[in-house]
Amino acid sequence: MRFGFPRWTRKQDPSARAAKERLQVLLAHERAGGPGPDVFPELQRDILAVIKRHMKIDDDAVDIQMERGEGQSSLEINIELPAARG
Amino acid sequence: MRFGFPRWTRKQDPSARAAKERLQVLLAHERAGGPGPDVFPELQRDILAVIKRHMKIDDDAVDIQMERGEGQSSLEINIELPAARG
């Protein structure tokens, strides 16, 4: 797998990077024909709802970044999960 | 946004890279406390169902790769979408 969590440390102070559980979701939509219907807001809402069905997440531990370009849009969801144990 | 579509060209011959529309979904789950319940199969099924609600996708144009490690699992879904216009 080519990607991981390089960006976590960017927003985390050293102590916050200790025993954490994290989920990162990245979406990239490339439209060869230029702009089209923007489905990312609905995808974001529904994907978060799916994640909440399977994992316990606090809304204030969810960081969302969306970028829209001419032919490419991207969505990044970073979620810090309550540590499963101890 | 740090990621895009570097991997598309790896599986595509030059002619296939012409006017295409693509969606890429990447999930990475880091568990500090080591292995725990594996929710990726359900996340994969439900996220694909969400995408199908918002975008027309052909099942045979969906490529899925899942990797499970000691403390990190990752899921990559690459979808070639029927080009929106002509």
Side-chain angles (χ1 to χ4, degrees):
Chain A
M1 187 54 52
R2 265 73 46 201
F3 83 104
F5 292 87
R7 283 172 302 286
W8 292 112
T9 50
R10 181 172 48 78
K11 281 177 282 181
Q12 304 292 333
D13 62 62
S15 63
R17 252 176 295 139
K20 287 285 177 190
E21 187 172 348
R22 299 181 185 91
L23 180 71
Q24 182 176 54
V25 183
L26 305 176
L27 272 84
H29 180 202
E30 181 185 76
R31 291 180 302 274
D38 182 14
V39 292
F40 267 28
E42 288 87 357
L43 283 179
Q44 173 195 315
R45 180 200 60 209
D46 293 352
I47 286 174
L48 267 176
V50 160
I51 293 169
K52 284 181 179 177
R53 276 209 302 269
H54 297 289
M55 302 173 108
K56 188 178 172 314
I57 60 177
D58 302 329
D59 285 337
D60 51 21
V62 178
D63 176 62
I64 295 172
Q65 292 179 27
M66 199 183 296
E67 288 182 26
R68 291 190 184 84
E70 181 65 22
Q72 179 165 334
S73 303
S74 40
L75 171 67
E76 179 177 341
I77 304 172
N78 288 300
I79 305 171
E80 265 195 33
L81 302 161
R85 272 170 298 283
Chain B
M1 191 55 52
R2 264 76 39 207
F3 82 102
F5 292 87
R7 282 174 304 285
W8 292 113
T9 49
R10 179 173 49 77
K11 283 178 280 182
Q12 305 292 333
D13 61 65
S15 63
R17 250 175 295 140
K20 285 286 177 192
E21 187 171 347
R22 297 180 183 91
L23 180 69
Q24 181 176 54
V25 183
L26 306 175
L27 273 83
H29 180 204
E30 181 186 76
R31 291 181 300 275
D38 182 13
V39 293
F40 267 27
E42 288 88 357
L43 282 179
Q44 173 195 317
R45 181 200 59 211
D46 292 352
I47 286 174
L48 267 176
V50 160
I51 293 169
K52 285 182 179 177
R53 276 209 303 267
H54 297 288
M55 303 173 109
K56 190 178 166 322
I57 59 177
D58 303 328
D59 285 337
D60 51 20
V62 178
D63 175 61
I64 295 172
Q65 293 180 27
M66 198 183 295
E67 289 183 25
R68 290 192 185 83
E70 180 64 23
Q72 180 165 334
S73 304
S74 41
L75 171 67
E76 179 176 343
I77 304 172
N78 289 300
I79 305 171
E80 263 195 34
L81 301 160
R85 272 167 297 285

